[in-house]
Amino acid sequence: MDISIVIPLYNEAESLPELFKRIQAVMEQNGFSFEVIFVDDGSKDDSWQVITELKAAHPEVIRALKFRRNYGKSPALYCGFKKAEGDVVFTMDADLQDRPEELPEMYRMLKDGGYDLISGWKKKRYDSKISKNLPSKIYNATARKITGIKLHDMNCGLKAYRKDVVKNIEVYGEMHRYIPYLAKNAGYTKIGEKVVRHQKRKFGESKFGLSRFAHGYLDLMTLWFLSHFGKRPMHFFGLVGSLLFLLGFIAVVVLGAMKISMLNQGIPFRLITDISYFYLALTCILLGTQLFLAGFLAEMISRNASERNNYIIDQEL
Ligand code: UDP
Ligand code: MG
């Protein structure tokens, strides 16, 4: 099969018939064999009803699953990826903001350019909320700096992947915002970008509010840390902890030595606890020990993590 299209959706009943019709038309015009995988993320409207009807009319190209409750976009993508069988796997939003008509060009770009992943770039956005445009620019600039991936629109819902990629990364929590980073960390570094036309939401409303910036920032930090020290936490905590401890220890020794030498010379000296440096030194020692311990505990946890020896073997003879 050429193409799998994974569509996570939450309360998008009105959009689905048109979405499917347009996908089908585009696929047939271009002679692709394809499947559409709808993942209903616990919708409370008629989405599942609509999907059931679509499935009855097109049993051979539609696959679908419904969550018991609303788990989120990442879990929906994760389950969709598990099911996907096409050589190229697309993800797109269900709300008709991503145009199915972009798919063939992205497919060709991925195949001919030898890319692992092509991300859409909504160069001109049509979001109802102004809160999306400027914050999203700042957010993307930060993400570019930290991830080292030169994408303008990291979180675009419309993306194309080689099948290999989606089978070897694990999207969880709210990490759908950073799939290119997950891919990069898994060794899929050929990441391209294609400008796509964005459209106004026809029905319903956006499911993500301002909280996504806070969540997105924290998740970015998590991923950065995981990719640098996830498998060797002691190299971070142990190092910083030891340095702090050493600093504090040396300071205390110096203070003690000063006091002893002053006393020896008969010069009156204040109590060590009256010197503010003492408390700074003490804090360093305590923090250092804490960090060292945190590193050690993290190391014990990662020794037992089930994925500690997950390596992607590309080829074997
Ligand atoms: N979505 C989902 N689960 C959620 C929230 C959203 O599956 O908990 C889907 C939603 O139905 C849509 C896609 O994720 O297909 C993108 O959501 P939305 O259009 O609300 O985001 P925006 O375009 O405003 O960033
Ligand atoms: Mg949308």
Side-chain angles (χ1 to χ4, degrees):
M1 190 188 311
D2 299 324
I3 292 180
S4 295
I5 305 166
V6 175
I7 305 179
L9 62 112
Y10 179 57
N11 296 344
E12 310 279 6
E14 301 100 321
S15 307
L16 297 176
E18 178 182 338
L19 177 69
F20 179 75
K21 220 170 96 199
R22 281 168 62 184
I23 290 176
Q24 194 185 28
V26 171
M27 292 293 123
E28 281 169 5
Q29 268 162 29
N30 288 271
F32 291 132
S33 55
F34 73 105
E35 64 178 356
V36 176
I37 303 173
F38 288 113
V39 187
D40 183 340
D41 185 10
S43 295
K44 294 185 181 69
D45 67 353
D46 292 337
S47 295
W48 187 247
Q49 179 65 31
V50 175
I51 293 170
T52 314
E53 283 159 20
L54 284 170
K55 168 84 182 172
H58 311 275
E60 61 304 328
V61 290
I62 293 184
R63 302 168 73 195
L65 51 92
K66 177 172 165 51
F67 285 162
R68 178 87 223 164
R69 65 174 181 84
N70 180 226
Y71 290 122
K73 191 175 178 182
S74 292
L77 288 175
Y78 171 78
C79 291
F81 285 163
K82 273 224 286 226
K83 257 173 130 46
E85 284 170 6
D87 294 336
V88 173
V89 179
F90 281 91
T91 59
M92 64 189 296
D93 291 352
D95 54 5
L96 293 169
Q97 289 195 278
D98 301 330
R99 298 168 59 242
E101 290 74 22
E102 308 278 358
L103 267 50
E105 195 47 46
M106 288 177 84
Y107 179 89
R108 267 169 230 125
M109 196 173 156
L110 187 95
K111 282 276 181 184
D112 301 346
Y115 286 100
D116 294 317
L117 190 173
I118 301 282
S119 180
W121 171 13
K122 307 182 288 277
K123 202 165 180 177
K124 193 156 168 23
R125 302 180 65 125
Y126 294 94
D127 285 306
S128 47
K129 293 184 187 143
I130 359 156
S131 73
K132 288 226 161 171
N133 290 303
L134 181 69
S136 140
K137 282 214 169 85
I138 299 171
Y139 157 88
N140 274 297
T142 318
R144 270 199 299 280
K145 258 266 161 323
I146 291 174
T147 64
I149 305 171
K150 301 282 163 260
L151 287 181
H152 292 86
D153 192 3
M154 178 84 74
N155 183 19
C156 184
L158 180 54
K159 287 189 171 65
Y161 307 83
R162 279 200 302 118
K163 183 188 191 173
D164 215 25
V165 179
V166 302
K167 297 293 180 189
N168 282 309
I169 57 174
E170 192 173 332
V171 195
Y172 67 98
E174 291 186 19
M175 296 300 181
H176 59 268
R177 298 193 178 89
Y178 299 111
I179 302 185
Y181 196 26
L182 295 177
K184 182 188 168 195
N185 291 340
Y188 298 105
T189 49
K190 203 144 189 284
I191 296 171
E193 179 168 63
K194 186 185 173 302
V195 175
V196 294
R197 249 170 61 204
H198 189 225
Q199 262 156 0
K200 265 213 167 62
R201 218 180 213 284
K202 241 179 156 168
F203 310 100
E205 52 190 34
S206 172
K207 311 294 185 294
F208 297 102
L210 273 177
S211 64
R212 79 207 144 96
F213 290 108
H215 298 176
Y217 163 74
L218 295 172
D219 285 343
L220 186 60
M221 292 298 113
T222 304
L223 285 183
W224 181 87
F225 190 83
L226 280 179
S227 84
H228 286 82
F229 299 105
K231 294 242 159 80
R232 48 189 190 99
M234 200 55 176
H235 289 186
F236 175 79
F237 292 110
L239 184 70
V240 180
S242 302
L243 286 177
L244 271 180
F245 181 88
L246 208 66
L247 190 73
F249 186 74
I250 292 173
V252 166
V253 169
V254 168
L255 280 177
M258 270 165 67
K259 171 138 190 175
I260 290 171
S261 101
M262 300 274 225
L263 285 179
N264 274 344
Q265 295 166 43
I267 310 170
F269 197 75
R270 282 180 296 166
L271 279 175
I272 281 188
T273 48
D274 283 346
I275 303 170
S276 52
Y277 284 119
F278 173 72
Y279 293 99
L280 283 177
L282 204 62
T283 310
C284 282
I285 292 178
L286 286 177
L287 274 182
T289 317
Q290 290 291 319
L291 283 171
F292 192 90
L293 260 177
F296 191 64
L297 289 176
E299 202 66 47
M300 305 277 272
I301 291 168
S302 81
R303 254 165 77 97
N304 285 300
S306 59
E307 72 268 25
R308 67 184 175 274
N309 265 335
N310 275 2
Y311 310 113
I312 305 167
I313 296 171
D314 234 4
Q315 285 172 35
E316 203 173 328
L317 291 174

